[in-house]
Amino acid sequence: MFQHISQPLLYAERLLAHYTLLGKSQDAASLFSELAAALVRLTDCQLSQVYLLDDTHTRLQLAAQWLDGRRVAEADCSLSADYADQQLMQYSLCQNRVLAIEDLLSSPFDTSFLPERSPVWRSLLCLPWQDSRGRTQGVLLCAGRRSGSLEHFADSLQSLGSFALTQHHLISRLRGGQADGSRLRSADYGLTGDSPAMRSVYQLIGKVLDNPVSVLLTGETGTGKELVARAIHDHGVRRNKPFVVQNCASLPESLLESELFGYRKGAFSGADRDREGLLDAANGGTLFLDEIGDMPLTLQAKLLRVLQEGEVRPLGSTQTHKVDVRIIAATHRDLLGMARLGQFREDLYYRLANFPIGLPALRERGDDILMLARFFADKACAYLQRDLLRWSPEALKCLRGYAFPGNVRELKGLVERAVLLCEGGELLPEHFNLGTSATTLPPLLADNGALSFRECMEQVERQLLLQSLRRNNGNQTHTAKELGLPRRTLLYRMERLRISSADV
């Protein structure tokens, strides 16, 4: 659809912004008003109307209307209509068809239900408004004063409308007492942390549990993206189906393609039998693609077809078959920036980022650091079958003041190492090996006041990596283990921070 839109990148950014605004709506009135506003802003039309079907499916209720840049109050518009008398809406609803009229002046449909305005209405788009299960719940309508087709907006507006219906369902459940605020807390999702940043994440998780849209998890390495993906799967409608994980950075292109799509006997040397891929293995469930930014461009095109058509073609086969898979992707990279540089497919980005969830860095989570540290320590003690350890105030203060460039994964590794080192019953600062690091770091803000915050953080991270490498005599595997990072992530950070073996 985006190839018909003059500025696809700008359109995608605006579309994602409206998903976020809809997700923040607290009641049905504001939700429908925001949806109507999104319709006019995305299409540049002057009129939008949001209609809901009643329980008998014989009457439409005008839930929201925007006209000439403002919301029309309920008192200023008719709130009910028998759509059996409206041929245009009846055609769209009964035929389940998108109705796009380029010039209303030559149209056979009666449009007297539209507000009278001069100049008159020329173009119109009428969509059956369906939820995530394909059930029609109403009509979305846009009208403009210039002739021309609006059909190229249909797919994106239908997806946005489906998302709005999911939010309406969730709001109704919360208002009706079928769920309470505890649904938005960490315990419900098997996650740890109660900071404001994480509560926002729990809210977003709650929005997509019953919605089949693709989810893009973003955030620094080690922030827990796979845990969030599993939480979405385990608490959503696909919970009883497979949850399959693949790291796109862990395999070369040829192996990754056969792993995802499968292959047929004779497709390549050594293919002595048919083998299904992970997309087939996840059929009915969820496929989590970690580090999607490292997927080769040629594979991105095949994945896009899966997202658009739900079709998979194994290697060595000329036939496609359907799969029903929810894709959750994750990355620590700026995919939108990569798309601008031609390093990531724009159309795939738009499909993946139907609903983005950004995970906060550990240093932004306040007291969650101490909560997580205690959780990891207790878990390590249980695994080692030893008594729970006490925390000295100095150790807690040391952790609270540390930047954690490796985020939760680094904290977990540090705590588990401290539990192993602790021979008494109390965890002390020396068990974490952070005191030396803190005192030997350069006084960045004092001596380099001209540097940006990002540059300062990169210097801190570079110094920490160098210290760990030197402690391990340059052994990258041992260094990665000490920092709680995958070796590939360590190599990536060394390259980004320009650390070579000569520096160690």
Side-chain angles (χ1 to χ4, degrees):
M1 65 181 177
F2 292 101
Q3 63 268 28
H4 300 294
I5 296 171
S6 59
Q7 293 181 292
L9 202 59
L10 177 60
Y11 183 83
E13 291 173 346
R14 291 165 63 189
L15 183 62
L16 292 176
H18 284 296
Y19 271 103
T20 303
L21 291 171
L22 288 173
K24 293 179 179 179
S25 299
Q26 299 297 314
D27 56 71
S30 62
L31 176 71
F32 296 143
S33 178
E34 180 56 46
L35 177 59
L39 296 179
V40 296
R41 290 167 184 162
L42 290 169
T43 61
D44 290 327
C45 288
Q46 289 74 45
L47 171 69
S48 68
Q49 294 179 329
V50 174
Y51 289 93
L52 274 173
L53 281 168
D54 67 2
D55 293 337
T56 66
H57 275 220
T58 60
R59 294 184 68 80
L60 286 166
Q61 180 176 6
L62 185 57
Q65 177 174 277
W66 272 66
L67 178 62
D68 292 330
R70 69 177 185 88
R71 183 177 69 86
V72 180
E74 294 180 0
D76 298 331
C77 59
S78 173
L79 291 181
S80 296
D82 187 344
Y83 81 91
D85 295 332
Q86 299 293 345
Q87 289 183 335
L88 187 148
M89 294 187 190
Q90 184 183 37
Y91 176 82
S92 182
L93 285 170
C94 295
Q95 299 295 322
N96 192 28
R97 293 275 300 274
V98 173
L99 185 59
I101 301 176
E102 296 187 27
D103 192 347
L104 288 171
L105 298 181
S106 59
S107 168
F109 291 109
D110 175 25
T111 56
S112 59
F113 64 93
L114 297 177
E116 292 186 6
R117 280 293 186 275
S118 180
V120 297
W121 304 113
R122 296 293 298 271
S123 57
L124 181 139
L125 179 66
C126 185
L127 306 172
W129 190 14
Q130 296 180 330
D131 62 17
S132 59
R133 298 181 182 179
R135 299 172 300 190
T136 302
Q137 304 293 338
V139 169
L140 302 178
L141 186 143
C142 301
R145 296 195 178 97
R146 292 181 299 177
S147 60
S149 177
L150 299 170
E151 189 171 8
H152 48 274
F153 293 106
D155 287 347
S156 57
L157 297 187
Q158 283 179 324
S159 296
L160 191 68
S162 175
F163 177 73
L165 284 172
T166 300
Q167 309 318 305
H168 183 223
H169 177 64
L170 179 61
I171 290 170
S172 299
R173 291 176 60 191
L174 292 171
R175 297 286 182 184
Q178 297 179 32
D180 55 31
S182 63
R183 182 172 173 81
L184 303 178
R185 295 206 309 256
S186 59
D188 294 302
Y189 301 123
L191 304 173
T192 302
D194 198 36
S195 62
M198 287 305 295
R199 285 200 297 271
S200 296
V201 171
Y202 304 144
Q203 273 196 325
L204 293 173
I205 292 174
K207 304 286 189 182
V208 296
L209 294 183
D210 302 321
N211 193 317
V213 298
S214 301
V215 177
L216 179 63
L217 303 175
T218 61
E220 297 178 9
T221 299
T223 49
K225 293 186 281 291
E226 184 174 340
L227 289 177
V228 172
R230 184 171 287 280
I232 293 172
H233 173 82
D234 288 347
H235 295 82
V237 294
R238 296 174 181 256
R239 65 178 68 89
N240 296 321
K241 299 296 183 178
F243 178 77
V244 179
V245 179
Q246 177 60 52
N247 188 312
C248 299
S250 64
L251 295 174
E253 179 178 349
S254 58
L255 289 180
L256 181 60
E257 183 175 8
S258 63
E259 192 72 13
L260 289 175
F261 296 92
Y263 54 82
R264 294 291 179 259
K265 182 179 179 180
F268 51 84
S269 178
D272 55 356
R273 58 183 176 85
D274 290 352
R275 183 176 185 273
E276 73 172 19
L278 296 182
L279 285 161
D280 288 301
N283 194 20
T286 303
L287 176 62
F288 174 56
L289 295 176
D290 200 6
E291 300 300 347
I292 189 71
D294 290 316
M295 177 177 282
L297 286 168
T298 51
L299 274 188
Q300 291 177 27
K302 294 193 69 172
L303 178 62
L304 179 63
R305 182 164 184 84
V306 176
L307 289 166
Q308 289 179 329
E309 308 295 339
E311 292 182 349
V312 171
R313 188 173 73 177
L315 285 173
S317 174
T318 59
Q319 303 295 319
T320 63
H321 60 272
K322 292 284 188 178
V323 292
D324 173 24
V325 179
R326 181 187 199 166
I327 301 293
I328 300 179
T331 183
H332 69 280
R333 306 175 72 176
D334 177 13
L335 293 188
L336 196 55
M338 292 175 64
R340 291 192 179 101
L341 297 173
Q343 299 171 353
F344 196 86
R345 290 185 65 104
E346 289 183 10
D347 44 8
L348 178 59
Y349 172 76
Y350 303 142
R351 285 287 180 175
L352 289 173
N354 275 347
F355 195 88
I357 300 179
L359 302 187
L362 186 56
R363 58 184 172 273
E364 300 169 359
R365 294 176 54 179
D367 290 337
D368 284 357
I369 295 174
L370 306 185
M371 185 186 301
L372 285 163
R374 290 189 173 97
F375 171 78
F376 292 139
D378 292 349
K379 193 173 180 180
C381 288
Y383 178 77
L384 296 172
Q385 298 183 347
R386 62 180 296 180
D387 293 336
L388 297 182
L389 299 174
R390 300 186 307 276
W391 286 82
S392 69
E394 294 79 10
L396 292 174
K397 183 179 179 181
C398 186
L399 286 182
R400 186 66 178 81
Y402 181 59
F404 288 103
N407 292 293
V408 179
R409 186 183 291 118
E410 181 184 7
L411 173 62
K412 183 175 184 289
L414 286 171
V415 171
E416 290 175 347
R417 179 176 180 274
V419 170
L420 288 172
L421 292 175
C422 182
E423 297 179 354
E426 185 176 43
L427 289 167
L428 302 171
E430 51 263 33
H431 295 138
F432 294 92
N433 201 26
L434 295 179
T436 303
S437 298
T439 57
T440 57
L441 288 175
L444 296 173
L445 296 179
D447 295 347
N448 300 300
L451 294 181
S452 67
F453 176 77
R454 183 180 183 86
E455 290 170 329
C456 290
M457 291 304 301
E458 287 181 349
Q459 283 199 21
V460 171
E461 183 179 356
R462 190 175 195 276
Q463 189 70 18
L464 289 170
L465 291 182
L466 283 171
Q467 289 173 354
S468 182
L469 284 164
R470 288 163 182 163
R471 281 195 299 271
N472 290 282
N473 297 318
N475 188 304
Q476 295 170 352
T477 301
H478 293 168
T479 299
K481 187 174 182 181
E482 178 182 284
L483 295 174
L485 300 172
R487 186 172 181 273
R488 184 180 180 86
T489 301
L490 174 66
L491 294 176
Y492 165 75
R493 288 177 177 270
M494 288 175 63
E495 181 181 356
R496 182 170 60 83
L497 297 170
R498 299 179 300 279
I499 298 176
S500 65
S501 57
D503 298 319
V504 180

